[in-house]
Amino acid sequence: MAQFTSDGLSLAYDEFGLRDAKKAIVLVHGFSANRYENWKRMGWYDAIASKGLRGFALDNRGHGESAKPHDPASYGREAMAGDLFALMDHAGVERAHLVGFSMGSHIALTAALLDGGRIDHLVVAGVGARMFDPPREEGAMAAAMEAESPDSIADPMLKSFRHFADEQKEDRLALAACSRGARTPLTPDSLAAIRRPTLVVAGARDQLAGPPQGLADTIPGAKAVTLPGCDHFSCIGHPLFKASVFDFFDGWLE
């Protein structure tokens, strides 16, 4: 297991593809998942290698094989975005494509606002117009992670996340702390400052994300792709997701 240090935390990552490739890509997974479940198992490592790219995927702090502090102060989204740049520094990569999913998309958007000059193309998936809706009940995700049994969780979406965390044998107290971490405000006004080529992808049945066009409209020049028949959890493995990302990188997506 390869590791690097960011903000005093030891974080796990994988490197794959061509080490001497001209272009690099960093994959950022979603909440309660990990680099293996979101990316490697879904065929992204092999797909990236076959395209002649140099790829990286990290376990976000609080997830997978990375450090798992139980203090919400450790999970500010700016700090988590800083982990991406720390990985790039560790690997000697100045610029890279970023591909995020769900929470990973929030982290990638935050990274683009912090230092867009190090980002080549930006892909955010599992997010859309509902990013700008009033937040769900504050603390509900943390409470779902801290509940003694998933049977006590009434909200079906929260119960799905809890079941997934249990299946992945994640540290639920770390996940609860992560869900309480400070968010960088992502508003139409703030996202208008992003000046990177951007692609927004979401499933047509993704009730958590909402339509991707509603988010793409706030980022200058951004493109949107809706994946037919997909909900939030089936989006990441959909072959049209991969095809859209590589078409975008190659300049074919219009």
Side-chain angles (χ1 to χ4, degrees), residues 163-183:
H163 278 305
F164 186 72
D166 288 345
E167 289 169 1
Q168 299 303 310
K169 296 181 171 56
E170 293 288 345
D171 182 330
R172 292 188 290 103
L173 294 182
L175 294 179
C178 180
S179 75
R180 293 187 173 108
R183 265 67 162 179

mmCIF file of all heavy atoms in Angstrom, residues 163-183:
data_model
loop_
_atom_site.group_PDB
_atom_site.id
_atom_site.type_symbol
_atom_site.label_atom_id
_atom_site.label_comp_id
_atom_site.label_asym_id
_atom_site.label_seq_id
_atom_site.Cartn_x
_atom_site.Cartn_y
_atom_site.Cartn_z
ATOM 1 N N HIS A 163 -25.915 1.287 5.308
ATOM 2 C CA HIS A 163 -25.686 -0.100 4.895
ATOM 3 C C HIS A 163 -24.389 -0.210 4.095
ATOM 4 O O HIS A 163 -23.610 -1.153 4.277
ATOM 5 C CB HIS A 163 -26.862 -0.609 4.056
ATOM 6 C CG HIS A 163 -28.026 -1.076 4.854
ATOM 7 N ND1 HIS A 163 -27.923 -2.039 5.842
ATOM 8 C CD2 HIS A 163 -29.350 -0.736 4.808
ATOM 9 C CE1 HIS A 163 -29.098 -2.274 6.372
ATOM 10 N NE2 HIS A 163 -29.990 -1.493 5.766
ATOM 11 N N PHE A 164 -24.156 0.759 3.210
ATOM 12 C CA PHE A 164 -22.948 0.732 2.398
ATOM 13 C C PHE A 164 -21.705 0.840 3.283
ATOM 14 O O PHE A 164 -20.719 0.120 3.080
ATOM 15 C CB PHE A 164 -22.985 1.869 1.382
ATOM 16 C CG PHE A 164 -21.848 1.842 0.395
ATOM 17 C CD1 PHE A 164 -21.793 0.886 -0.602
ATOM 18 C CD2 PHE A 164 -20.830 2.774 0.467
ATOM 19 C CE1 PHE A 164 -20.748 0.846 -1.509
ATOM 20 C CE2 PHE A 164 -19.782 2.753 -0.435
ATOM 21 C CZ PHE A 164 -19.737 1.787 -1.424
ATOM 22 N N ALA A 165 -21.746 1.752 4.262
ATOM 23 C CA ALA A 165 -20.605 1.903 5.180
ATOM 24 C C ALA A 165 -20.351 0.603 5.939
ATOM 25 O O ALA A 165 -19.193 0.198 6.130
ATOM 26 C CB ALA A 165 -20.867 3.050 6.155
ATOM 27 N N ASP A 166 -21.416 -0.057 6.371
ATOM 28 C CA ASP A 166 -21.257 -1.321 7.086
ATOM 29 C C ASP A 166 -20.677 -2.391 6.164
ATOM 30 O O ASP A 166 -19.796 -3.164 6.567
ATOM 31 C CB ASP A 166 -22.607 -1.793 7.638
ATOM 32 C CG ASP A 166 -23.086 -0.956 8.815
ATOM 33 O OD1 ASP A 166 -22.266 -0.206 9.392
ATOM 34 O OD2 ASP A 166 -24.281 -1.045 9.149
ATOM 35 N N GLU A 167 -21.152 -2.437 4.917
ATOM 36 C CA GLU A 167 -20.630 -3.419 3.964
ATOM 37 C C GLU A 167 -19.143 -3.218 3.714
ATOM 38 O O GLU A 167 -18.395 -4.193 3.542
ATOM 39 C CB GLU A 167 -21.390 -3.311 2.644
ATOM 40 C CG GLU A 167 -22.819 -3.803 2.709
ATOM 41 C CD GLU A 167 -23.608 -3.443 1.466
ATOM 42 O OE1 GLU A 167 -23.018 -2.819 0.549
ATOM 43 O OE2 GLU A 167 -24.808 -3.776 1.401
ATOM 44 N N GLN A 168 -18.706 -1.947 3.677
ATOM 45 C CA GLN A 168 -17.301 -1.640 3.431
ATOM 46 C C GLN A 168 -16.439 -1.726 4.688
ATOM 47 O O GLN A 168 -15.232 -1.516 4.633
ATOM 48 C CB GLN A 168 -17.170 -0.232 2.827
ATOM 49 C CG GLN A 168 -17.871 -0.063 1.494
ATOM 50 C CD GLN A 168 -17.386 -1.055 0.464
ATOM 51 O OE1 GLN A 168 -16.191 -1.206 0.246
ATOM 52 N NE2 GLN A 168 -18.322 -1.754 -0.172
ATOM 53 N N LYS A 169 -17.095 -1.999 5.831
ATOM 54 C CA LYS A 169 -16.404 -2.089 7.128
ATOM 55 C C LYS A 169 -15.643 -0.793 7.430
ATOM 56 O O LYS A 169 -14.511 -0.821 7.932
ATOM 57 C CB LYS A 169 -15.474 -3.300 7.166
ATOM 58 C CG LYS A 169 -16.217 -4.630 7.051
ATOM 59 C CD LYS A 169 -15.261 -5.811 7.120
ATOM 60 C CE LYS A 169 -15.999 -7.124 7.237
ATOM 61 N NZ LYS A 169 -16.978 -7.363 6.171
ATOM 62 N N GLU A 170 -16.287 0.326 7.092
ATOM 63 C CA GLU A 170 -15.682 1.625 7.370
ATOM 64 C C GLU A 170 -15.845 1.986 8.851
ATOM 65 O O GLU A 170 -16.694 1.432 9.555
ATOM 66 C CB GLU A 170 -16.326 2.705 6.490
ATOM 67 C CG GLU A 170 -16.034 2.554 5.006
ATOM 68 C CD GLU A 170 -14.598 2.893 4.625
ATOM 69 O OE1 GLU A 170 -13.888 3.522 5.446
ATOM 70 O OE2 GLU A 170 -14.169 2.519 3.516
ATOM 71 N N ASP A 171 -15.034 2.915 9.302
ATOM 72 C CA ASP A 171 -15.092 3.430 10.672
ATOM 73 C C ASP A 171 -16.239 4.443 10.725
ATOM 74 O O ASP A 171 -16.119 5.568 10.253
ATOM 75 C CB ASP A 171 -13.753 4.099 11.012
ATOM 76 C CG ASP A 171 -13.692 4.629 12.434
ATOM 77 O OD1 ASP A 171 -14.738 5.009 12.984
ATOM 78 O OD2 ASP A 171 -12.578 4.722 12.989
ATOM 79 N N ARG A 172 -17.361 4.061 11.317
ATOM 80 C CA ARG A 172 -18.544 4.908 11.268
ATOM 81 C C ARG A 172 -18.384 6.189 12.091
ATOM 82 O O ARG A 172 -18.993 7.207 11.765
ATOM 83 C CB ARG A 172 -19.774 4.120 11.723
ATOM 84 C CG ARG A 172 -20.146 3.024 10.738
ATOM 85 C CD ARG A 172 -21.470 2.367 11.082
ATOM 86 N NE ARG A 172 -21.405 1.551 12.280
ATOM 87 C CZ ARG A 172 -21.872 1.898 13.458
ATOM 88 N NH1 ARG A 172 -22.432 3.088 13.635
ATOM 89 N NH2 ARG A 172 -21.791 1.071 14.493
ATOM 90 N N LEU A 173 -17.593 6.154 13.139
ATOM 91 C CA LEU A 173 -17.381 7.382 13.911
ATOM 92 C C LEU A 173 -16.545 8.380 13.119
ATOM 93 O O LEU A 173 -16.764 9.593 13.195
ATOM 94 C CB LEU A 173 -16.709 7.051 15.243
ATOM 95 C CG LEU A 173 -17.543 6.213 16.215
ATOM 96 C CD1 LEU A 173 -16.785 5.996 17.523
ATOM 97 C CD2 LEU A 173 -18.902 6.856 16.477
ATOM 98 N N ALA A 174 -15.597 7.883 12.326
ATOM 99 C CA ALA A 174 -14.840 8.769 11.435
ATOM 100 C C ALA A 174 -15.751 9.350 10.362
ATOM 101 O O ALA A 174 -15.654 10.530 10.019
ATOM 102 C CB ALA A 174 -13.671 8.018 10.803
ATOM 103 N N LEU A 175 -16.654 8.520 9.830
ATOM 104 C CA LEU A 175 -17.591 9.011 8.821
ATOM 105 C C LEU A 175 -18.534 10.050 9.407
ATOM 106 O O LEU A 175 -18.868 11.046 8.743
ATOM 107 C CB LEU A 175 -18.381 7.854 8.225
ATOM 108 C CG LEU A 175 -17.591 6.835 7.405
ATOM 109 C CD1 LEU A 175 -18.518 5.727 6.901
ATOM 110 C CD2 LEU A 175 -16.879 7.500 6.240
ATOM 111 N N ALA A 176 -18.978 9.836 10.639
ATOM 112 C CA ALA A 176 -19.834 10.833 11.291
ATOM 113 C C ALA A 176 -19.094 12.154 11.434
ATOM 114 O O ALA A 176 -19.649 13.236 11.176
ATOM 115 C CB ALA A 176 -20.292 10.315 12.654
ATOM 116 N N ALA A 177 -17.827 12.085 11.828
ATOM 117 C CA ALA A 177 -17.017 13.301 11.950
ATOM 118 C C ALA A 177 -16.844 13.964 10.595
ATOM 119 O O ALA A 177 -16.930 15.197 10.465
ATOM 120 C CB ALA A 177 -15.661 12.974 12.567
ATOM 121 N N CYS A 178 -16.618 13.148 9.559
ATOM 122 C CA CYS A 178 -16.453 13.686 8.206
ATOM 123 C C CYS A 178 -17.715 14.423 7.761
ATOM 124 O O CYS A 178 -17.646 15.504 7.157
ATOM 125 C CB CYS A 178 -16.120 12.556 7.242
ATOM 126 S SG CYS A 178 -15.877 13.076 5.530
ATOM 127 N N SER A 179 -18.864 13.859 8.054
ATOM 128 C CA SER A 179 -20.117 14.492 7.628
ATOM 129 C C SER A 179 -20.351 15.814 8.343
ATOM 130 O O SER A 179 -21.112 16.661 7.849
ATOM 131 C CB SER A 179 -21.291 13.546 7.871
ATOM 132 O OG SER A 179 -21.623 13.475 9.244
ATOM 133 N N ARG A 180 -19.703 16.002 9.484
ATOM 134 C CA ARG A 180 -19.842 17.260 10.230
ATOM 135 C C ARG A 180 -18.756 18.275 9.860
ATOM 136 O O ARG A 180 -18.753 19.391 10.371
ATOM 137 C CB ARG A 180 -19.777 16.993 11.735
ATOM 138 C CG ARG A 180 -20.950 16.186 12.287
ATOM 139 C CD ARG A 180 -20.906 16.098 13.806
ATOM 140 N NE ARG A 180 -22.105 15.482 14.354
ATOM 141 C CZ ARG A 180 -22.168 14.267 14.883
ATOM 142 N NH1 ARG A 180 -21.069 13.513 14.944
ATOM 143 N NH2 ARG A 180 -23.306 13.783 15.344
ATOM 144 N N GLY A 181 -17.837 17.905 8.991
ATOM 145 C CA GLY A 181 -16.738 18.796 8.620
ATOM 146 C C GLY A 181 -17.233 20.063 7.939
ATOM 147 O O GLY A 181 -18.270 20.068 7.267
ATOM 148 N N ALA A 182 -16.485 21.137 8.113
ATOM 149 C CA ALA A 182 -16.880 22.443 7.560
ATOM 150 C C ALA A 182 -16.850 22.415 6.043
ATOM 151 O O ALA A 182 -15.880 21.959 5.437
ATOM 152 C CB ALA A 182 -15.956 23.527 8.089
ATOM 153 N N ARG A 183 -17.929 22.891 5.424
ATOM 154 C CA ARG A 183 -18.027 22.947 3.970
ATOM 155 C C ARG A 183 -17.619 24.320 3.455
ATOM 156 O O ARG A 183 -17.977 25.346 4.044
ATOM 157 C CB ARG A 183 -19.470 22.715 3.515
ATOM 158 C CG ARG A 183 -19.827 21.301 3.139
ATOM 159 C CD ARG A 183 -19.818 20.351 4.286
ATOM 160 N NE ARG A 183 -20.576 19.132 3.950
ATOM 161 C CZ ARG A 183 -20.706 18.125 4.767
ATOM 162 N NH1 ARG A 183 -20.140 18.163 5.958
ATOM 163 N NH2 ARG A 183 -21.390 17.063 4.406
#
